[in-house]
Amino acid sequence: MAANFKLKIMLYSTTATTFLFIFTSLIPSFQAHEVEGMFVFGSSLVDNGNNNYLRNSSARADYSPYGIDFPLGPSGRFSNGRNPIDVLGELLRLPSFIPPFSDPSTVGQRILHGVNYASGGSGILDHTGSITGKVTSMNQQIRNFEKVTLAEMQSHVDFKRKCDHLSKYLFIVGTGGNDYLLNYFTSNNRRTNILNFTHKLIATLSRQIRRLYDLGARKFVLFSIQAMGCIPAVRANLHVSNGSCVEAMNEAALLFNNRLKALVTKSPNSPMPHASMIYINSYKIIRDIIKDPISNGFKETSKACCDLPSNGILCRKGGKACKDRNSHVFFDGLHPTDAVNERIAHIAYASNLKSEAYPTNVKNLVQMYN
């Protein structure tokens, strides 16, 4: 859609001459509230503090050194700073960070620009992540949106006045990695063919996305799972010390990602005819950094920035963090640093490469009519 133009004419008079200055300012259309907010579903890569409120959950990041570079300190984000959702919100010029669903104050006006339901350790399947204690599964996240948030929004005067449907909101989905890391590769599921397991994941996720569509969602952003074989926890657990990745696990990620990407291609008989979906290849974004760190502005690609317990994934409570955090790809044994999250979000927002954002980017998605 064409951008809106504002013409500002300013007259300045002097004793000799009147100068006419015509300033044309190009204002991107999304500033005119073409996107009201985001609803976020997924795992720790996009969780912004929901697990803080779960009893008996070991998948928490509400302690130092997490949040060392975040303005609110340790908030439950699994990073030294922002996650990709925070950066996307900035790029979309949303007025504040998206609040976590589990925070008791996430009510009233706070929900009008979106809510984050993501839960660290969770997955597509209900039982994924149980080894970490209490998590909120993808199905439960969707029920939280339907039964609580949506019900409240539909009765809110400001929501009715601004937009009578959800097409002005982005629905962000970032899940699937834990179904391999905390399920398939750590249980008897390995007796199941990985092709069949992946098919089960995609079929289940398809139904979950369809449920969101039936509830009114129209614009979806699907994030790929990352290069699991390159994360520090996997490398350490399998004693990979030469800087290489565990390609068997990366192949599983690619298998899932290829099937996930196929979901965004709309067929003539699609059960979601009014949906617009894009796929963000965060796997490629991170892998490109790992393959050529120096030219991408990074140095350390295989080690965590923070102190980890033996064979650990999360930072040691009260432990130290490296000084040059912007040069690290990973902050802990699994999660990227603020610098990487910023890269992912900027590429998701504006990249014109279909290998990174398919079939288009977030900036174009928010300008589409449904």
Side-chain angles (χ1 to χ4, degrees), residues 273-318:
H274 302 294
S276 297
M277 295 194 290
I278 65 172
Y279 165 82
I280 305 302
N281 194 351
S282 49
Y283 178 103
K284 178 184 184 300
I285 297 167
I286 295 178
R287 197 73 200 268
D288 285 350
I289 296 173
I290 292 173
K291 288 179 178 178
D292 189 6
I294 300 302
S295 64
N296 282 288
F298 293 85
K299 295 179 182 178
E300 178 54 64
T301 64
S302 61
K303 297 179 181 178
C305 170
C306 70
D307 290 339
L308 298 177
S310 178
N311 294 324
I313 293 178
L314 301 181
C315 298
R316 188 188 307 275
K317 289 187 177 181

Side-chain angles (χ1 to χ4, degrees), residues 13-17:
S13 298
T14 66
T15 55
T17 312

Side-chain angles (χ1 to χ4, degrees), residues 219-230:
K219 294 176 180 177
F220 295 88
V221 180
L222 310 182
F223 279 90
S224 77
I225 60 177
Q226 62 176 323
M228 299 182 295
C230 297

